[in-house]
Amino acid sequence: MDLQRHDRIGKIKQWSRNLGRLLTLIGYLLWLGWPASLLFFYGSGTFILFGTKLERTQLSLPSQCALVLFFWCALALSQLLVFHIRKLMAHFSAGDVFNQGALDAAGKALRYGIALFVVEIAMRAGVTLYVMTSGGSYSLSFPFDELISGMLFFGVMYVLLWTLEIGRDLNQESSLTI
């Protein structure tokens, strides 16, 4: 049976192409975050961060710089994540699922996703500590539910990566057998 002509494989290829196009659009939209961060740094007024309303006049210059640095880090990691997932979708749309290129793209996307998750948790903890130490009357709680769901998501992603590695090894072994 020719797997390349199988109906489900054709649908996966089409979905991968569509997802790749969507990720290209998202990648372009992420580039708008860089000028938006400058507007945040030099702007005035109030903003809402993780459900907490903060005045820019309340924030000291080091805390503003820390927020912008966290935002830039998250933005750069998001761009890298989208880039590598787009590469993975390009492999899937070409039917190259179990090869080293797809495995490398999936591994890099997973690592950048974990780094982005860590930056988001650190930023939430930083905002919580800042509000608590500045005497603000904001009710913040640490997002344990997001932490647990993030760990479960990345656990599933590691299983996917493991599956791709086994499929690559079986693919190489079968080509050597033939």
Side-chain angles (χ1 to χ4, degrees), residues 98 103 117 133:
F98 298 117
L103 185 63
F117 183 68
T133 58

Side-chain angles (χ1 to χ4, degrees), residues 9-166:
I9 300 296
K11 288 179 183 178
I12 290 172
K13 286 181 177 182
Q14 183 60 39
W15 273 100
S16 299
R17 273 191 291 278
N18 293 340
L19 205 61
R21 290 182 190 124
L22 178 64
L23 287 168
T24 301
L25 175 67
I26 290 171
Y28 287 134
L29 290 175
L30 282 172
W31 280 104
L32 297 175
W34 295 102
S37 67
L38 294 176
L39 290 175
F40 166 77
F41 189 66
Y42 291 114
S44 62
T46 63
F47 64 97
I48 297 174
L49 186 63
F50 302 122
T52 304
K53 186 176 176 183
L54 296 171
E55 296 281 336
R56 278 192 228 303
T57 56
Q58 290 176 329
L59 296 174
S60 63
L61 187 61
S63 60
Q64 283 183 358
C65 289
L67 280 175
V68 170
L69 184 64
F70 271 118
F71 184 76
W72 283 350
C73 189
L75 191 58
L77 289 171
S78 297
Q79 286 178 322
L80 288 167
L81 177 65
V82 166
F83 175 74
H84 288 291
I85 292 176
R86 198 174 71 217
K87 279 178 59 175
L88 181 64
M89 290 301 111
H91 283 288
F92 285 179
S93 68
D96 298 330
V97 178
F98 298 117
N99 64 12
Q100 189 61 41
L103 185 63
D104 290 342
K108 288 178 183 177
L110 181 60
R111 285 189 291 277
Y112 286 125
I114 289 173
L116 183 63
F117 183 68
V118 168
V119 165
E120 192 245 338
I121 294 295
M123 194 168 168
R124 281 186 180 266
V127 168
T128 302
L129 288 174
Y130 181 79
V131 169
M132 287 178 9
T133 58
S134 67
S137 61
Y138 305 107
S139 62
L140 290 175
S141 61
F142 194 77
F144 289 109
D145 56 337
E146 288 183 22
L147 184 65
I148 291 170
S149 64
M151 293 163 97
L152 289 173
F153 174 76
F154 289 117
V156 169
M157 293 308 295
Y158 268 115
V159 169
L160 171 69
L161 186 63
W162 178 70
T163 304
L164 286 173
E165 286 179 7
I166 289 177

